[in-house]
Amino acid sequence: MAGVDYLADERNKAQFDVDAMKIVWAGSRHAFEVSDRISKLVANDPAFAKDERTMMPRKELFKNTLRKAAYAWKKINELRLSEEEASKLRFYVDEPAFTDLHWGMFVPFIKGQGTDEQQQKWLSLAYKMQIIGCYAQTELGHGSNVQGLETTATFDPQTDEFVIHSPTLTSSKWWPGGLGKVSTHAVVFARLITDGKEYGVHGFIVQLRSLEDHQPLPGVTVGDIGMKFGNGAYNTMDNGVLRFDHVRIPRDHMLMRFSQVTRDGKYKQSDVPRQLVYGTMVYVRQTIVQDASSALSRAVCIATRYSAVRRQFGSQNGGPETQVIDYKTQQSRLFPLLASAYAFRFAGEWLKWLYTDVTQRLQANDFSTLPEAHACTAGLKSLTTSATADAIEECRKLCGGHGYLCTSGLPELFAVYVPACTYEGDNIVMLLQVARFLMKTVSQLAFGKQLTGTIAYMGRLEHLMECRCSVQKAEDWLNPSAVLEVFEARAARMSVSGAQRLSNFTNPEEGFAELSADLVEAAVAHCQLIVVSKFIEKLQQDIPGQGVKEQLKALCGIYYLYLLHKHQGDFLATSCITPKQASLANDLLRTLYSQVRPNAVALVDAFNYTDHYLGSILGCYDGNVYAKLYDAAWKDPLNESVVPDGYQEFIRPLLKRQLGNAKL
Amino acid sequence: MAGVDYLADERNKAQFDVDAMKIVWAGSRHAFEVSDRISKLVANDPAFAKDERTMMPRKELFKNTLRKAAYAWKKINELRLSEEEASKLRFYVDEPAFTDLHWGMFVPFIKGQGTDEQQQKWLSLAYKMQIIGCYAQTELGHGSNVQGLETTATFDPQTDEFVIHSPTLTSSKWWPGGLGKVSTHAVVFARLITDGKEYGVHGFIVQLRSLEDHQPLPGVTVGDIGMKFGNGAYNTMDNGVLRFDHVRIPRDHMLMRFSQVTRDGKYKQSDVPRQLVYGTMVYVRQTIVQDASSALSRAVCIATRYSAVRRQFGSQNGGPETQVIDYKTQQSRLFPLLASAYAFRFAGEWLKWLYTDVTQRLQANDFSTLPEAHACTAGLKSLTTSATADAIEECRKLCGGHGYLCTSGLPELFAVYVPACTYEGDNIVMLLQVARFLMKTVSQLAFGKQLTGTIAYMGRLEHLMECRCSVQKAEDWLNPSAVLEVFEARAARMSVSGAQRLSNFTNPEEGFAELSADLVEAAVAHCQLIVVSKFIEKLQQDIPGQGVKEQLKALCGIYYLYLLHKHQGDFLATSCITPKQASLANDLLRTLYSQVRPNAVALVDAFNYTDHYLGSILGCYDGNVYAKLYDAAWKDPLNESVVPDGYQEFIRPLLKRQLGNAKL
């Protein structure tokens, strides 16, 4: 039945212009066109096939990634792809590889922390991939706390060199991607010691391997740290371990934009403002939020299409069973995730703007918005990655038993995604930073400090502590300003309550530690408010396309009403809403589910994902799930023979009661 | 530093008798002794080593499982182990295998549904493993809805045979464990057709493979369905696909205890009460709840020990950093899971009693408690498996980045555990059954029906709708009867509210469908009440051992206060508590965390798990985590050579800018 679209009925039901929605999702017509062209280029090139990935043993898997990375680089050069196109190509190749760290961490870090001279020297090599770099920060015993790193870089004035050393087992560098087997160079973080004094952690460029035969240089012990969660997934990456035994590097391999060590071993700060570092941080976290919406939308696309294909129970008079997507229990789990995918997409879009804004201000030496921008990006990083990790697993469960098969694509998507909750700032540590920012904001309110951006609502604290939600019937919950006020009031009241309880402690640090779990909840409330408000702001823009805005409005409603229900306890405990209003919100939520139902498949089609990128039989565009599952099964290595390897040694003797003599 | 106990300080802090707690955990001194002896027997036998499991390619992994299963069977026979010991041995071997289905489904099903004659014939073969059986129910297109199965068994009176056939692609049997490569026989579920009429789904014993050469019999197409979630994990199992092309079996291969087809093709029901089937169901679900507490306690043991080993931030004057377990954010995520492990253990223990009770009543033809027992086991299956799946992943995150390594044991534990949310009744389908039971109970209250067991509280509905929680200070939340009343009131009020809203619909089925998501929440409230009340009942028993009961009281408090906080919205919306009382509950919760803190490591030691069973470097008994992680890394296949396979073809040409001519 090749060519039959099993989801055609669903697509015919759609009440909006899917092509117009594709452009909204992509962010612009240009972004859509690049994305569409490059994703098809990758999908149509058999060199990028990924079907066998989850069955490959580690060495084979890794070698295959090396091949793909080299092939991708060859393509990028042959087709003279722009930076934007090249990065899209790596995105759609959809396989963690050393190049992620080279382009995503090594190059940006040298750009950010190298002097002009250092940039010229190293970037010209890195841009042509004549060296391959990684980012060696975390250690076996040290993750989030950078100041706890143990690796040392001791300046030797006699030779004008730094001596890089791993003094303990726990100081072994551990986790850096691309380090284990590929990188020739690394930015290494180490405690700088010169002139008998220690000056904290700094970055150094260290060559690890010979450019001639790839052997580790003297004093360098390096390897892969072993298998990680899942089939395929991050096992394509050589996360590495690295130990230094008094490795010497020239003094000018210290990244010296912000501080330097002089020829005679003096430590000097430069006059470049250190706040510039935060620009990179905002940039990286912005991409993480974008990635969250990509991963989440992918899982939702799979679960939505399969929920429309799959039927279970409800057959009447021998007719077909009910489509699973028609069950309210399925809708109430799936549609909020669909809505979240769109919500995170727009949050990411807004963060892109924030990054531009912060960059411009930094260039003008305006650091006033930094604390707010920092708290906001930390919070959104945490919120979106945690929600996405949970959502992928929920989507897997929404696919029933078949979601457990690797061919569903969901196990690998989950396994490859979850590290986002830990890397670039552990999600709880991030929320604690937001909580600190909130407590500081509340404590400064008395001084009449001007509040801007995402924290501006705290300026209306008096009103927010008093206001009463005006909702009287379900549809009143469609009013954006009523919704915003409720979310603002909840966030404000939770912050104020936290601050009040903090003030009972004589030692504020002890208080913060004691109340930290509650303060994290206030931080979550603040972050959810940001996402809701950015979604609502998006809807206030002009959005072309028949029916597009209506669908987005329904999704926005689902998103905030779902949060309102999930965190009902917060809203009720702070008296922001009444039980009756909570119940009305739930009634509206069900109505919105019914509105979205006929559009669900079209809303995931709008992500414009190729079957190659989705990598899921359950999510395939044409919905021909069962024939494909059946065919795919026979490709498993276990099916190479009808009688399994091991039958003669282990099954036959058991059945024949001859185990007594068997060698097992 | 071999032999050093890095957790000795933690163990010295414990304020209770750990050996006595081990017996409480195991259920009895006898259970402890068997468990202790068998777990050590497995741990000390190198044939059962499992270190390499997550690195093995599928075929090797599977063959290794065949070897272990044969070896285990040999040991069981050599050591003349009792049934209890043999089942413990399989448990501690800790690897899904075809034997699970043979002993856990094939044998019990024949016992339950076979006539005496059939039992004699088949069980004598099965007990000696002269045949290996599996349980072939689900199909490619049919999971939860057994009545939707498509496989047919048509009686042919001419030859006195059934013709088993797979009429469609979606009727292919799909998922049965042990089917793909090993089983010689299966219990096959098919629609019985005789005399031109269909009689619904029945079970048949079908031989699949030759007992001489293991080749599939004529008309049988069978194979493995392919890779599943995770490294190692369920990939040791040959979940299978099976198609029948008019396969003929003798008439007496139909399992005929409850109904039969006569020689002349007449369908007849026997006079054995069909309710007996429910006995098996209660038994299976009871074991699932036990398994939940095992899996959860294992994850909690790993996360607790590593949280005591791991240090992060908080170093003062160059001293060591703070143990992660000392952070309230860590405690507020970890300790409720520790408490849940104990809660589920006692719920499982109680379900064992319930099974005995149900069995005795069934034998006496007393079916009165069946609906309640059925709802209760369905609900507890759902509650404990969902919570455990989430908790394992939470424990992984609580271990920071290192939890992502396979050597942490947590990725495999998660991957191997999550199917429990789907098999033996999808968790949402289970909760819907509970919801139906609750709605029926409420609707019958008017008729004065006597309520027993876990639903008895509904008999006090009038009081529960009115009562006010008496808590005035934090410690009042230690009062068990106040707590029980609050949980009962919440469950009762949610059920009543659901029933009231249902009554607004003219078609009750439509109403149930529309409100199903809310009704599921009422079901959860009911199930949580059961777990809380069984924990509280346990504490009313005599529990020997210095300090043991005090620890269990603290854990019980943490469990219910954690639920109260997590579902604050329910309690507030139903006016069971006030915001002030919710806040007091949180205060007490923090106090209880501090009480448990010094006992945490001892409380997981009480599970008495060997390092072999735990299978986790992060959770190893001696806490020597970092040295072990470092050593383990070098065993990865990627580290077999310093320069990786693929360097010459893919890395060197890239670095040397010679990709143009390379064949990629």
Side-chain angles (χ1 to χ4, degrees), chain A residues 86-100:
Chain A
S87 122
K88 275 283 170 214
L89 185 133
R90 282 190 292 267
F91 176 81
Y92 282 116
V93 168
D94 184 38
E95 193 159 279
F98 64 90
T99 44
D100 301 350

Side-chain angles (χ1 to χ4, degrees), chain B residues 21-320:
Chain B
M21 188 67 94
K22 285 183 180 175
I23 290 170
V24 173
W25 176 261
S28 70
R29 177 165 297 277
H30 168 78
F32 168 76
E33 278 168 1
V34 173
S35 196
D36 187 60
R37 178 161 44 84
I38 302 288
S39 69
K40 285 176 182 155
L41 186 149
V42 172
N44 294 331
D45 191 332
F48 291 126
K50 52 189 195 184
D51 329 352
E52 314 279 309
R53 190 160 62 185
T54 58
M55 297 180 224
M56 285 182 181
R58 181 86 199 274
K59 275 172 82 169
E60 204 182 309
L61 178 73
F62 184 70
K63 189 174 177 183
N64 192 43
T65 303
L66 295 181
R67 178 188 59 77
K68 284 192 194 178
Y71 183 79
W73 184 235
K74 187 181 171 185
K75 277 275 150 198
I76 288 166
N77 287 305
E78 275 176 9
L79 301 173
R80 298 170 182 276
L81 298 189
S82 67
E83 211 177 302
E84 182 192 14
E85 291 165 327
S87 123
K88 275 284 170 213
L89 184 131
R90 282 191 292 269
F91 176 82
Y92 282 116
V93 168
D94 185 39
E95 192 160 280
F98 64 89
T99 44
D100 300 350
L101 285 301
H102 178 80
W103 294 110
M105 296 295 284
F106 184 71
V107 165
F109 202 80
I110 293 175
K111 270 190 193 170
Q113 308 232 334
T115 60
D116 290 347
E117 205 178 328
Q118 288 178 319
Q119 294 193 35
Q120 203 162 23
K121 172 177 174 183
W122 295 107
L123 291 182
S124 62
L125 292 166
Y127 283 148
K128 288 182 270 178
M129 296 204 87
Q130 291 175 292
I131 60 173
I132 300 171
C134 67
Y135 183 87
Q137 180 183 305
T138 51
E139 297 175 353
L140 185 52
H142 309 278
S144 297
N145 184 14
V146 178
Q147 296 315 316
L149 295 178
E150 295 179 81
T151 304
T152 53
T154 310
F155 182 62
D156 178 354
Q158 295 210 307
T159 59
D160 197 21
E161 291 172 319
F162 285 106
V163 182
I164 312 285
H165 187 59
S166 310
T168 60
L169 177 75
T170 46
S171 73
S172 310
K173 292 293 173 189
W174 190 269
W175 275 118
L179 167 65
K181 291 289 155 185
V182 180
S183 291
T184 60
H185 290 66
V187 171
V188 172
F189 289 82
R191 315 179 83 84
L192 193 164
I193 299 166
T194 183
D195 224 8
K197 263 177 75 181
E198 213 204 275
Y199 293 91
V201 173
H202 290 70
F204 302 83
I205 296 183
V206 185
Q207 182 172 350
L208 304 175
R209 288 181 170 91
S210 153
L211 290 171
E212 284 317 307
D213 61 8
H214 213 62
Q215 287 291 336
L217 297 186
V220 169
T221 304
V222 63
D224 185 273
I225 60 169
M227 289 289 285
K228 289 145 290 184
F229 199 166
N231 328 64
Y234 252 100
N235 292 304
T236 57
M237 180 73 91
D238 54 331
N239 296 90
V241 48
L242 168 65
R243 288 180 62 75
F244 296 104
D245 181 6
H246 300 93
V247 171
R248 289 176 166 267
I249 57 168
R251 180 168 54 92
D252 68 1
H253 283 205
M254 172 183 172
L255 288 164
M256 299 221 196
R257 185 168 180 209
F258 296 108
S259 51
Q260 47 177 288
V261 169
T262 60
R263 177 61 192 92
D264 57 348
K266 296 282 172 267
Y267 180 80
K268 287 208 310 197
Q269 304 254 7
S270 75
D271 51 8
V272 179
R274 336 205 98 235
Q275 286 91 336
L276 289 186
V277 180
Y278 289 100
T280 317
M281 204 183 264
V282 172
Y283 175 76
V284 172
R285 291 191 182 150
Q286 171 257 120
T287 63
I288 291 180
V289 174
Q290 292 283 356
D291 290 347
S293 75
S294 300
L296 176 52
S297 55
R298 199 166 152 178
V300 165
C301 181
I302 296 168
T304 302
R305 286 183 183 161
Y306 182 51
S307 295
V309 169
R310 186 178 168 214
R311 292 169 179 273
Q312 202 86 176
F313 292 108
S315 160
Q316 284 175 347
N317 310 321

Side-chain angles (χ1 to χ4, degrees), chain A residues 23 47 63 72 101 144 149 206 287 313 324 342 355 374 392 423 493 527 575 583 599 636 656:
Chain A
I23 291 171
K63 188 174 176 182
L101 285 300
S144 298
L149 296 176
V206 184
T287 63
F313 292 109
V324 168
Y342 278 90
Y355 171 63
H374 180 254
I392 296 170
Y423 62 55
R493 293 178 195 188
C527 298
S575 303
S583 167
N599 299 289
D636 192 89
K656 298 293 174 193

Side-chain angles (χ1 to χ4, degrees), chain A residues 406-432:
Chain A
C406 286
T407 46
S408 80
L410 290 164
E412 190 179 15
L413 187 57
F414 182 74
V416 85
Y417 188 74
V418 286
C421 298
T422 313
Y423 62 55
E424 278 301 311
D426 174 89
N427 279 355
I428 291 295
V429 175
M430 293 292 95
L431 290 175
L432 286 169

Side-chain angles (χ1 to χ4, degrees), chain A residues 59 140 144-145 181 212 224 227 230-231 243 312 321 402 404 406 415 521 565 630 639-641 652, chain B residues 59 140 144-145 181 212 224 227 230-231 243 312 321 402 404 415 521 565 630 639-641 652:
Chain A
K59 275 173 81 169
L140 185 52
S144 298
N145 184 14
K181 292 289 156 184
E212 284 318 306
D224 185 272
M227 289 291 285
N231 327 64
R243 287 182 61 77
Q312 202 87 175
E321 296 173 288
H402 298 349
Y404 193 60
C406 286
E521 293 181 0
H565 181 65
Y630 188 83
N639 287 327
E640 282 165 17
S641 61
R652 192 180 158 82
Chain B
K59 275 172 82 169
L140 185 52
S144 297
N145 184 14
K181 291 289 155 185
E212 284 317 307
D224 185 273
M227 289 289 285
N231 328 64
R243 288 180 62 75
Q312 202 86 176
E321 296 173 289
H402 299 347
Y404 192 60
E521 293 181 1
H565 181 65
Y630 187 84
N639 288 328
E640 282 166 17
S641 61
R652 192 177 157 83

